[in-house]
Amino acid sequence: MIDKDVIVACDFPSAEETYKFLDLFTDTKPYVKIGMELYYAEGPKVVSEIKARGHKIFLDLKLHDIPNTVAHAASQLAKLGVDMTNVHCAGGAKMMAAAKATLEGSSTKLIAVTQLTSTSEEVMHEELLLDNSKTIKEVVINYAQNAKDAGLDGVVCSPLEAGEIKKSIGDEFLTITPGIRFADDAKGDQVRVTTPADAKASSDFIVVGRSITAASDPVAAYNRCVQDFLGE
């Protein structure tokens, strides 16, 4: 059985700001996402420190390169003890399988990004030149199937596609969904979004950033998110 959770996107520019934010949580240790901004600013030491504080970590670097390069990079990330990390589906099945192979024996789950939640169907067709006969949902499901066939544990997708992925690929295949906003929040640069309550039916993990980190009371916002997503 999958232990669903809320992952807080710690998209801060420095370790100092990140630790200050995490220090607000005295009664719980939220699952956190470390993305490119923080990792590139602070390097592996910020991962080690947050792990030492007792948090689970999703290291979100979206590896995308030739199979050999991605495989070696993934093996280095696993050494940091992260709970989950990711590659990009667009790199192809061989790249994804190579990365997964290097993680055998590791507890790190490997997932793959399908399409960014900032990508609209118009962008997918007119800029990325993906098949005009296919909807964004069809493309995402195909990417997810490729990830499953390559042995990965799940995918990052918008909550709008998570349900179809579960139907097509199976309940044990993880769906990690960013693009989560409270109903009274602005969408920002996201296009395909939904609320924590609406995501609970088909998402295993929701990734929530500004709705928590920019809230006047981040702990209350986090607790609201947990209740909406995990509550009965």
Side-chain angles (χ1 to χ4, degrees):
M1 183 165 177
I2 298 168
D3 292 325
K4 295 190 172 191
D5 211 344
V6 174
I7 301 176
V8 182
C10 290
D11 295 324
F12 298 105
S14 70
E16 180 181 4
E17 290 181 61
T18 305
Y19 302 152
K20 183 178 179 180
F21 169 78
L22 293 176
D23 285 342
L24 297 172
F25 296 85
T26 57
D27 297 325
T28 188
K29 298 288 185 181
Y31 201 136
V32 302
K33 178 181 82 74
I34 297 174
M36 296 179 189
E37 180 180 16
L38 182 59
Y39 189 79
Y40 293 159
E42 301 288 351
K45 66 181 184 295
V46 74
V47 176
S48 299
E49 173 61 25
I50 292 174
K51 283 295 291 183
R53 288 170 172 242
H55 298 271
K56 289 184 177 180
I57 295 177
F58 166 28
L59 185 55
D60 177 26
L61 299 182
K62 302 178 181 71
L63 303 179
H64 185 182
D65 209 311
I66 63 172
N68 186 61
T69 297
V70 168
H72 288 300
S75 69
Q76 293 300 319
L77 299 182
K79 291 177 183 178
L80 298 176
V82 297
D83 299 272
M84 188 157 55
T85 192
N86 59 359
V87 296
H88 206 296
C89 281
K94 186 176 180 181
M95 184 204 76
M96 291 189 283
K100 182 62 176 176
T102 68
L103 299 182
E104 291 302 323
S106 163
S107 61
T108 301
K109 293 188 180 301
L110 185 65
I111 61 176
V113 177
T114 53
Q115 282 290 338
L116 301 177
T117 52
S118 58
T119 300
S120 66
E121 197 150 303
E122 180 182 36
V123 167
M124 188 186 77
H125 290 152
E126 296 182 6
E127 294 183 23
L128 304 182
L129 298 182
L130 294 178
D131 189 346
N132 282 343
S133 69
K134 302 296 184 183
T135 66
I136 197 164
K137 183 177 289 187
E138 289 173 315
V139 170
V140 166
I141 292 170
N142 183 64
Y143 277 173
Q145 186 63 59
N146 290 344
K148 172 68 172 178
D149 292 345
L152 272 63
D153 299 291
V155 289
V156 179
C157 61
S158 97
L160 305 180
E161 295 109 29
E164 290 298 322
I165 288 171
K166 289 289 189 183
K167 288 179 186 177
S168 299
I169 299 177
D171 287 337
E172 294 305 307
F173 192 66
L174 298 177
T175 51
I176 296 85
T177 58
I180 304 296
R181 296 282 189 272
F182 293 124
D184 49 350
D185 285 345
K187 288 186 178 180
D189 53 1
Q190 307 278 15
V191 175
R192 300 178 349 267
V193 302
T194 195
T195 66
D198 288 339
K200 69 189 294 183
S202 53
S203 299
D204 297 311
F205 297 88
I206 56 173
V207 181
V208 187
R210 285 164 281 188
S211 290
I212 294 174
T213 58
S216 57
D217 185 340
V219 175
Y222 171 76
N223 290 335
R224 174 187 173 189
C225 196
V226 169
Q227 179 59 39
D228 287 355
F229 183 58
L230 300 177
E232 298 298 329

